[in-house]
Amino acid sequence: MSTATVEAAKPLSPLAVRLNEHLKAQTPTGAPTLADRCDSCPQPARSVFMFSVAPDPDGTGAEAGGVYLCAHHIRRHIGALIGDRALLSFWVEPVELSHFDGVDAPRHNAHKSGDGLTDA
């Protein structure tokens, strides 16, 4: 029996199913900018999770707040974040989801062909 047959028979986790569904509908409009940083460390943000928040008593009118995470913190906390009932939406760099079993995301390819500058 080949490895592909064994993997095909393995059921997907609920997290993998949800992430696959999300990737099909994800658009680049929610992506963090180059200036956005992880809320837990100084690394660049690779995801944004938007949550509904309670009305501010000071009257600022904010109804949502974002959590920005780097690649390391995505892998550490994504299960808890997307399971939160207050989650409104989220955007995750697709290549970062390739670390999860069963998620149909492109893998990062660090190998360059040719001279490494032109792919020639």
Side-chain angles (χ1 to χ4, degrees):
M1 183 175 346
S2 72
T3 306
T5 307
V6 172
E7 288 179 12
K10 186 178 177 181
L12 294 177
S13 69
L15 176 62
V17 170
R18 175 125 189 239
L19 292 174
N20 281 327
E21 288 173 4
H22 180 74
L23 275 175
K24 291 176 188 173
Q26 180 169 278
T27 63
T29 57
T33 66
L34 293 174
D36 292 325
R37 297 288 168 202
C38 178
D39 289 335
S40 297
C41 70
Q43 294 298 313
R46 306 287 285 167
S47 66
V48 179
F49 295 86
M50 295 302 291
F51 292 91
S52 61
V53 294
D56 186 9
D58 295 333
T60 60
E63 294 180 5
V67 173
Y68 292 81
L69 296 177
C70 66
H72 165 76
H73 287 107
I74 292 167
R75 290 190 295 273
R76 191 175 210 188
H77 300 293
I78 195 165
L81 288 169
I82 68 170
D84 193 312
R85 291 183 182 200
L87 182 66
L88 297 173
S89 65
F90 66 99
W91 189 94
V92 179
E93 183 68 40
V95 74
E96 301 305 336
L97 295 176
S98 66
H99 298 282
F100 296 95
D101 289 336
V103 177
D104 212 9
R107 298 208 180 270
H108 178 67
N109 185 0
H111 302 295
K112 296 285 184 186
S113 61
D115 60 9
L117 299 173
T118 62
D119 284 339

